Amino acid sequence: TVPQYITLTKASKMFALSHKTLRRLFDDGTISGYRTEGGHRRISLKSMQQFVERDDAFVLDVLHRMGLR
């Protein structure tokens, strides 16, 4: 079964983003999740997938407008 929430380390490896970037995205509300009692972040996998899809769509749009795709 696929987990609903993943650790910062797992998200970093899966989506090729640094821990610092993921912490910033979490803290500013761009991606959602929760903090454990110990203060560790757990990232919503669905939120990460939506973020990546939005980001991919933006990049593809820019490349298209530049005539590169």
Side-chain angles (χ1 to χ4, degrees):
T1 181
V2 177
Q4 291 183 346
Y5 295 90
I6 55 178
T7 64
L8 205 65
T9 298
K10 181 83 169 176
S12 178
K13 290 177 182 175
M14 286 177 70
F15 297 97
L17 294 169
S18 71
H19 283 211
K20 184 176 180 177
T21 296
L22 288 167
R23 282 192 291 272
R24 182 180 50 79
L25 293 171
F26 180 90
D27 292 346
D28 73 12
T30 301
I31 57 175
S32 63
Y34 68 95
R35 285 185 183 259
T36 66
E37 288 184 23
H40 300 280
R41 294 167 182 86
R42 295 297 183 260
I43 308 297
S44 161
L45 187 54
K46 183 175 181 178
S47 177
M48 279 301 305
Q49 290 167 330
Q50 291 170 341
F51 171 74
V52 170
E53 288 170 5
R54 283 192 311 266
D55 189 51
D56 283 350
F58 172 76
V59 169
L60 290 174
D61 183 51
V62 169
L63 291 174
H64 178 73
R65 284 187 281 136
M66 294 174 65
L68 299 174
R69 184 137 212 280

